[in-house]
């Protein structure tokens, strides 16, 4: 008898600093799925870092690679996929994710998110004079897109394990 798969893949979406990677690893472990970080796969395939890709070829080029990487990864199954924060801006990425699994938005207020990302040097969108202002604007412009996810988890008062446990509970794994 073949074992039933509840969801072919679980796509974690959310802003930079939402905990997609940390929660994703714990969640994958809990439900026996593999964990995939598309940005890491993209960097390995490109032989370059996201920062360098942004500065040498621009954001559109990065977004093309991001969509291609997402598409390839989505052919697999039993994966928890920690998408990059900007994956939600392209409609075709939603088509890919909705076809290949379930989307989960890890939601947190900008103050919490910014506290986690303020010192990072590998996020090119925040390498500006006023990163908090930029982060606020970006989140404001994306919030309605993140809200398209099937499941929305308010992570503000939860630990990493707490978020993973909440997802397991709600999805009834
Ligand atoms: C981006 C988020 C990053 C990375 C790139 C662009 C964004 O991923 O894909 O720097 O547009 O929000 P994380 O959300 O994992 O930081």
């Amino acid at each position: 008898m073949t074992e039933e798969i509840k969801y072919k893949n679980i796509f974690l979406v959310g802003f930079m600093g939402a905990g997609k990677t940390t929660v994703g690893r714990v969640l994958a472990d809990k439900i026996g799925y593999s964990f995939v970080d598309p940005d890491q796969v993209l960097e390995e395939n490109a032989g370059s870092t996201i920062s360098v890709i942004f500065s040498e070829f621009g954001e559109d080029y990065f977004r093309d690679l991001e969509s291609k990487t997402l598409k390839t990864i989505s052919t697999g199954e039993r994966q928890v996929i920690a998408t990059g924060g900007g994956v939600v801006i392209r409609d075709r990425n939603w088509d890919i994710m909705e076809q290949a699994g379930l989307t989960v938005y890890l939601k947190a207020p900008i103050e919490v998110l910014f506290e986690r990302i303020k010192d990072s040097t590998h996020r090119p969108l925040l390498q500006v004079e006023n990163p908090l202002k930029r982060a606020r604007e970006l989140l404001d412009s994306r919030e309605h897109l993140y809200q398209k996810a099937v499941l929305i988890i308010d992570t503000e008062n939860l630990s990493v394990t707490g978020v993973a446990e909440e997802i397991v509970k709600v999805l009834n794994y």
Side-chain angles (χ1 to χ4, degrees):
M1 197 176 84
T2 49
E3 202 189 331
E4 185 202 342
I5 307 179
K6 277 185 93 71
Y7 299 102
K8 206 174 142 216
N9 294 291
I10 296 177
F11 294 89
L12 300 181
V13 302
F15 201 67
M16 295 174 266
K20 293 162 295 193
T21 303
T22 45
V23 168
R25 285 186 197 283
V26 175
L27 175 62
D29 199 47
K30 280 187 184 296
I31 64 176
Y33 279 27
S34 50
F35 171 77
V36 184
D37 179 343
D39 278 351
Q40 198 188 328
V41 173
L42 184 157
E43 288 186 331
E44 280 163 13
N45 289 344
S48 186
T49 65
I50 290 173
S51 297
V52 170
I53 295 168
F54 257 77
S55 67
E56 285 193 3
F57 304 105
E59 179 169 348
D60 282 354
Y61 183 81
F62 167 74
R63 297 295 173 202
D64 288 345
L65 290 184
E66 184 176 51
S67 293
K68 275 187 203 146
T69 308
L70 184 70
K71 188 151 195 251
T72 307
I73 289 170
S74 299
T75 58
E77 59 181 37
R78 286 178 170 274
Q79 308 170 101
V80 174
I81 299 163
T83 64
V87 101
V88 295
I89 65 182
R90 283 201 174 174
D91 285 349
R92 57 180 292 219
N93 294 341
W94 281 102
D95 293 341
I96 295 168
M97 294 192 289
E98 282 164 358
Q99 273 223 328
L102 181 88
T103 48
V104 180
Y105 172 28
L106 303 188
K107 183 174 165 63
I110 190 64
E111 293 75 19
V112 173
L113 297 165
F114 191 71
E115 200 45 42
R116 298 193 192 131
I117 55 182
K118 65 179 193 301
D119 297 324
S120 88
T121 52
H122 65 275
R123 290 183 166 105
L125 290 174
L126 299 179
Q127 305 311 303
V128 294
E129 207 176 311
N130 190 338
L132 175 57
K133 180 167 176 274
R134 182 79 194 277
R136 253 186 224 288
E137 288 164 359
L138 269 178
L139 181 57
D140 284 351
S141 70
R142 290 177 181 174
E143 182 62 38
H144 71 288
L145 300 171
Y146 293 131
Q147 297 277 348
K148 284 165 66 172
V150 172
L151 178 63
I152 299 174
I153 305 281
D154 193 342
T155 68
E156 189 180 359
N157 296 310
L158 293 173
S159 64
V160 168
T161 309
V163 176
E165 279 169 356
E166 181 70 11
I167 297 171
V168 171
K169 194 175 89 190
V170 177
L171 298 185
N172 209 9
Y173 265 92

